Amino acid sequence: MKKSVIALVVVAAAAGGFYFANQKAEEAIKEQIVLANQSYIELAAKGEMPLIALSYKDVSANVLTSSYSIQDLAVSIGDFGNVATVSEITATGIKPKQLADKGEMTLTGLKAAPAALQMLPPNLSAFVQSLEIHGDYSYAYKNDGSLQFSQATHINDEFSLSYNFSLANMQQFWQYAKDVTAMPTEQQQALTTSEDYPEQMLKQLITGALSNGEIVLANNGFLQRLAKISAESGQGADFETMQGMALIGVSSAEQVPAAIKENLIKFINNPEKLALSFSFAEPLKFSSVENGDLKDKVNSPEDFIQFANLNLTAN
């Protein structure tokens, strides 16, 4: 009997501890949104950007799984009011005051709000209202200094764009990112909004290199529908005309290698799927691109295709 009572007390204490930890985590997320809104106010006061404000319906956290979510996020701009809404943003791998070596984020139901569509023609407004965007993003850092990024963005079931990249020699960049994440909130905010921050980030990033990657575009009638709406609104040519212009442009491009040109023409004639992949025999150092050393290895499109083991396929 005593053992049962002790077990119940332990379980209750653990549950209470998790509940308290989750509450603190939720408060931390809410604090970050408050700080973001404050920074937007400051930037707007300086005339550097319109006044943006974030609001939400609810925030939840689970410290056991390191997962956090924001429900019904709304983005407003100045006097326009809400211009976009997101049903839910879920993140996994977030840790307070430290950068996890692996993380994922899912964005569900991004849509334009009516206020953002007031200036559009009725048919274009209806088209934009019909669009709903979903996104999946992930990263993973490994002890060997490699860093993988993956992203997949979908517009309804009509269009998707995805990529994955593998970077090498990212130890210095990752340590810098961890140091920034570990800073007190006020210090971190001051740094990331300073004029020197992009230069500091670039200085760390340039020590890395690009290993391999893939970019995939899939179209299921979206490009055709977009062209039709644009033509009806007087904003562009119809799809057939755009196809013809693209075919002429690609066919007459003397610098485009035949293998690449053939697949581009195939996609233009029947735009379903286009995939570009590359894999460097040795990781391409970003410093080589910046200082011009790459020019010694690549003198033509054919050289680059061979250097990057580049491959383009259609449908």
Side-chain angles (χ1 to χ4, degrees), residues 141 144-148 165-173 204-212 282-286:
Y141 177 79
D144 62 1
S146 63
L147 179 61
Q148 282 78 42
F165 295 121
S166 179
L167 308 177
N169 306 329
M170 298 300 290
Q171 294 93 330
Q172 185 171 323
F173 171 84
Q204 309 306 321
L205 180 61
I206 207 169
T207 62
L210 179 61
S211 295
N212 56 70
E282 295 182 7
L284 174 62
K285 296 180 179 178
F286 296 133

Side-chain angles (χ1 to χ4, degrees), residues 140-159:
Y141 177 79
K142 298 182 179 179
N143 293 333
D144 62 1
S146 63
L147 179 61
Q148 282 78 42
F149 284 105
S150 296
Q151 173 267 329
T153 300
H154 301 265
I155 301 178
N156 300 347
D157 59 353
E158 300 174 276
F159 184 86

Side-chain angles (χ1 to χ4, degrees), residues 74-123:
V75 182
S76 64
I77 299 180
D79 296 332
F80 285 101
N82 288 349
V83 296
T85 58
V86 181
S87 296
E88 184 176 36
I89 296 176
T90 302
T92 303
I94 297 178
K95 298 181 180 180
K97 300 301 179 183
Q98 59 178 303
L99 179 61
D101 287 340
K102 184 178 182 180
E104 299 177 357
M105 187 187 79
T106 298
L107 179 149
T108 305
L110 170 60
K111 300 189 69 174
L117 308 173
Q118 294 177 358
M119 305 297 290
L120 299 178
N123 61 336

